[in-house]
């Protein structure tokens, strides 16, 4: 039987062999939610960068540049890191280069995987169907916060495990932990996540509606994949 595992923080990735796995990268608040919404709203491709200066340079190559640090839009960038920024007409058909505090770090640490896909609540059923169809073992990589475990990504991991549990067995206890946490909190996830450290951080920055939107399930039937360094729908 295929196995599923969960890496609760990118700082633990050295404990996992990604080379023979499909990695689902998740950063609910807000990077992977933005990437999913952006591609669904017609962005041509999204190129993730860990390094801010390298991302900024892409402006010169005709890219829109997007990003945040500590939840705040990077000064001079075209877009911040709100899913609503990606719903603007100006992004349709465009190539976007993005850098975020945690989400793009997690993607960078997954590059040696057989396949890297983007997970969010916005496309969770599409991701579940995709990983069920393919033959490899799966690792769900939570972006967390600066190396620390966070609630919202762990809840997503538990929710995804819940959708694929009939076809996968647990590689170790992290999927069991994430799944149990999800089963315990699934009936009032919004209020639970509102109480999370990053939701509080965003609220202090007057970012509120993003949180509820990023917890919306199955807005889009798409699975963004990393192809030659770019996230696309294929
Ligand atoms: C991140 O990558 O840390 C997040 O996406 C941050 C945010 O958008 O608030």
């Amino acid at each position: 039987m295929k196995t599923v595992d969960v890496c609760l923080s990118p700082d633990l990735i050295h404990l996992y062999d990604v080379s023979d796995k499909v990695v689902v990268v998740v950063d609910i608040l807000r990077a992977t939610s933005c990437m999913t919404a952006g591609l669904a709203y017609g962005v041509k491709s999204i190129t993730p960068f860990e390094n801010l200066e390298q991302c900024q340079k892409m402006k010169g190559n005709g890219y829109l540049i997007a990003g945040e640090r500590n939840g705040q839009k990077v000064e001079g960038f075209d877009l911040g890191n709100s899913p609503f920024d990606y719903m603007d007409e100006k992004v349709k058909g465009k190539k976007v280069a993005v850098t975020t505090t945690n989400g793009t770090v997690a993607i960078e640490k997954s590059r040696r995987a057989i396949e890297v896909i983007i997970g969010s609540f916005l496309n969770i059923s599409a991701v579940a169907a995709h990983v069920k169809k393919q033959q490899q073992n799966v690792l769900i990589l939570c972006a967390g916060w600066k190396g620390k475990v966070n609630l919202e990504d762990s809840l997503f991991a538990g929710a995804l495990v819940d959708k694929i549990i009939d076809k996968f067995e647990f590689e170790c206890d992290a999927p069991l932990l994430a799944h149990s946490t999800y089963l315990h909190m699934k009936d009032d996830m919004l209020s639970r996540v509102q109480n999370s450290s990053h939701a509080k951080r965003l609220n202090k920055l007057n970012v509120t509606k993003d949180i509820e939107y990023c917890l919306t399930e199955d807005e889009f039937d798409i699975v963004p994949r990393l192809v030659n360094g770019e996230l696309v729908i294929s």
Side-chain angles (χ1 to χ4, degrees):
M1 198 174 189
K2 294 179 287 186
T3 66
V4 60
D5 206 346
V6 175
C7 179
L8 290 167
S9 158
D11 283 16
L12 295 171
I13 197 71
H14 60 283
L15 301 171
Y16 299 80
D17 176 7
V18 301
S19 62
D20 63 348
K21 293 185 180 65
V22 168
V23 174
V24 181
V25 175
V26 55
D27 184 350
I28 295 300
L29 297 179
R30 298 164 289 171
T32 61
S33 301
C34 285
M35 293 164 182
T36 305
L39 290 164
Y41 270 80
V43 166
K44 188 164 191 257
S45 69
I46 297 177
T47 306
F49 286 87
E50 203 175 343
N51 178 281
L52 194 149
E53 287 70 31
Q54 285 172 358
C55 182
Q56 198 151 29
K57 283 195 193 117
M58 297 301 282
K59 182 83 179 167
N61 305 336
Y63 283 66
L64 289 178
I65 51 176
E68 60 70 45
R69 283 295 181 269
N70 302 312
Q72 283 189 300
K73 178 183 175 187
V74 178
E75 201 163 329
F77 272 37
D78 303 301
L79 308 173
N81 201 38
S82 167
F84 298 102
D85 292 347
Y86 285 82
M87 298 175 188
D88 190 315
E89 273 302 309
K90 75 177 181 191
V91 305
K92 276 200 180 16
K94 294 285 182 13
K95 286 182 169 247
V96 176
V98 63
T99 183
T100 73
T101 311
N102 307 286
T104 52
V105 175
I107 294 171
E108 191 59 36
K109 289 183 187 267
S110 313
R111 283 185 191 269
R112 286 184 311 101
I114 285 182
E115 184 181 46
V116 177
I117 63 174
I118 295 298
S120 68
F121 283 111
L122 300 169
N123 67 339
I124 189 169
S125 295
V127 169
H130 179 91
V131 296
K132 277 187 176 183
K133 251 190 343 241
Q134 54 77 49
Q135 297 318 310
Q136 274 77 36
N137 295 332
V138 169
L139 177 68
I140 305 167
L141 172 56
C142 299
W145 181 259
K146 299 185 178 180
K148 294 180 184 160
V149 171
N150 73 18
L151 177 64
E152 59 275 13
D153 298 344
S154 308
L155 282 174
F156 171 86
L160 182 57
V161 163
D162 195 55
K163 287 183 184 297
I164 65 174
I165 204 161
D166 56 328
K167 294 272 190 258
F168 290 80
E169 60 189 5
F170 295 168
E171 178 68 29
C172 81
D173 289 350
L176 176 59
L177 187 65
H179 191 225
S180 309
T181 305
Y182 168 70
L183 293 177
H184 180 62
M185 296 185 175
K186 68 187 176 83
D187 297 330
D188 58 346
M189 267 207 297
L190 180 57
S191 63
R192 300 281 189 165
V193 171
Q194 288 285 21
N195 203 26
S196 72
S197 54
H198 195 48
K200 289 178 183 166
R201 199 175 288 120
L202 291 173
N203 283 331
K204 282 198 188 106
L205 298 168
N206 298 320
V207 173
T208 50
K209 59 182 171 54
D210 292 17
I211 297 159
E212 184 161 358
Y213 181 77
C214 292
L215 289 180
T216 311
E217 277 206 23
D218 296 336
E219 279 280 285
F220 310 111
D221 185 15
I222 63 164
V223 178
R225 298 173 55 230
L226 196 64
V227 180
N228 303 326
E230 293 186 334
L231 291 169
V232 292
I233 307 172
S234 57

